[in-house]
Amino acid sequence: MKAIIMAAGVGSRLSEAPHNPKCTLPIGPGESIISHTMGILRKRGVEPHMVIGYERNKVRSALSAYPEVQYHENPFYRITNSIGSCWQARSVIISAIEQGEDILFANADVYWTEDLLQALCSVPDECTMLCDKTRAKTGDYFFHLDNGYISAYGKKLPVEERDCEYTGIALIRASFLPVFLGRLDQLIWKEEYGMWWEDVLYRACDVHPVRALDVDGRFWSEVDYIGDYQRILDYLCINRRAEDLLCSSSL
C-alpha cells in the first residue's frame, strides 16, 4: 500500500500559527502530528508520499527521522486547492496502478490512531471515506448517506440532511485507481483548480458508490481551529494550552 498525504496548504484558519504548517504542531516531546502519522505508516509497512508546499522545509524537518518519505512539491499551493496537490503526486497513482496497490489518501493536519487504519483496510469497497456520526451537527464537512454510501455532501449541507462529518482520510483500492486518475485528469484539464482532491470521488459517487465508514468512537481530530488542537492535547493528557504551544511550537 502507498499513502499520499496532503501537506501543501497554508492553513489560514489557524491564524495563531501563521508560520508553521499545522501538521508540524507538537503533540509530545520530539513528536508532531505528522511524525505521529508517519509512525503509523511505518509500522504498517505503507510507502509514504508527502505533497508539500507552504513552508515545505519545516515539514521536511519535522520528518527528519523518516528518511523513507518521498516528497512531491506543489509550488502553486496559494492558487490551487488540494486537487492541485493530488496532481503533483500523479506519478504515485500511476505506480500504484501498475503495481496493483491501494492508496491511502489523508490530510496531513489530522491526528488519528492506528486502529482507524486497521478498520479502513478491513472494508472491501473500492472507495471508502472515514466519517464520524457523532459530529453531524457541528463539524466542518458533512455527508448524507444512503445505506452507508455517500449520496450528498458539503460544508453547507442542511442540518437535517447531515449524517456524519468527514475525517479527512480515505482509502482507494487498486481496482478503482484508473477511474480515479481519469477523473482527476479531466478536472485538472478543465482548470478546476479550486476543488478539493475529494471532489474527484464526489463527482463519481452517483456512478461509483463511495462507502462512508464510521470511526465508531475512535479518536481523531483535524486541526482547523485552535479548539481542534486542544482536543488532541487533552486526549494525549498533555497539560498545556494550545494557544501557548502555537506561539512556541515546541514541547
Side-chain angles (χ1 to χ4, degrees):
M1 180 187 293
K2 301 181 188 299
I4 298 176
I5 312 297
M6 310 293 177
V10 175
S12 58
R13 285 185 291 182
L14 198 69
S15 58
E16 293 86 347
H19 303 301
N20 295 290
K22 292 185 292 181
C23 67
T24 66
L25 291 173
I27 57 169
E31 185 168 34
S32 62
I33 292 172
I34 193 58
S35 67
H36 167 79
T37 298
M38 287 303 157
I40 293 173
L41 299 184
R42 175 184 280 178
K43 185 176 180 180
R44 299 279 298 191
V46 179
E47 180 183 299
H49 295 262
M50 291 286 300
V51 185
I52 55 177
Y54 174 72
E55 292 289 356
R56 64 192 185 280
N57 289 332
K58 290 187 177 181
V59 179
R60 290 178 181 271
S61 177
L63 293 176
S64 59
Y66 295 88
E68 68 269 29
V69 177
Q70 300 178 53
Y71 295 95
H72 308 263
E73 296 190 353
N74 177 11
F76 313 109
Y77 61 88
R78 290 193 185 273
I79 56 176
T80 70
N81 212 322
S82 62
I83 194 170
S85 291
C86 191
W87 174 260
Q88 299 300 326
R90 189 176 186 275
S91 61
V92 182
I93 302 172
I94 293 173
S95 176
I97 292 171
E98 293 173 346
Q99 297 170 16
E101 291 186 278
D102 305 330
I103 297 183
L104 173 75
F105 289 83
N107 296 325
D109 61 348
V110 182
Y111 177 94
W112 46 289
T113 53
E114 186 179 354
D115 54 354
L116 279 175
L117 180 56
Q118 294 171 342
L120 190 58
C121 291
S122 71
V123 178
D125 292 71
E126 288 190 312
C127 302
T128 305
M129 306 181 80
L130 281 178
C131 68
D132 190 338
K133 292 183 177 179
T134 69
R135 296 172 62 176
K137 308 303 179 185
T138 59
D140 184 61
Y141 197 97
F142 306 98
F143 295 154
H144 174 72
L145 308 180
D146 286 330
N147 297 318
Y149 292 88
I150 300 169
S151 59
Y153 45 85
K155 288 179 176 288
K156 297 182 180 180
L157 196 67
V159 174
E160 61 273 13
E161 295 183 25
R162 300 175 187 173
D163 290 314
C164 53
E165 181 187 18
Y166 170 49
T167 67
I169 304 168
L171 178 66
I172 301 180
R173 297 293 183 182
S175 57
F176 188 74
L177 285 174
V179 177
F180 178 84
L181 181 61
R183 290 178 177 268
L184 173 64
D185 286 347
Q186 289 176 357
L187 292 173
I188 287 292
W189 287 108
K190 288 181 180 178
E191 301 181 49
E192 299 283 2
Y193 305 137
M195 288 186 168
W196 305 99
W197 79 262
E198 293 94 341
D199 282 308
V200 181
L201 295 181
Y202 301 149
R203 293 294 184 92
C205 67
D206 56 337
V207 178
H208 301 280
V210 177
R211 171 80 177 274
L213 176 67
D214 183 32
V215 298
D216 196 24
R218 302 175 181 89
F219 183 82
W220 70 280
S221 184
E222 182 169 19
V223 182
D224 288 322
Y225 301 102
I226 193 168
D228 302 323
Y229 184 31
Q230 189 66 59
R231 286 182 65 241
I232 298 171
L233 298 177
D234 293 345
Y235 171 76
L236 295 173
C237 299
I238 296 174
N239 189 26
R240 295 287 299 275
R241 294 175 67 249
E243 292 92 338
D244 297 336
L245 291 179
L246 285 171
C247 294
S248 66
S249 291
S250 63
L251 278 170

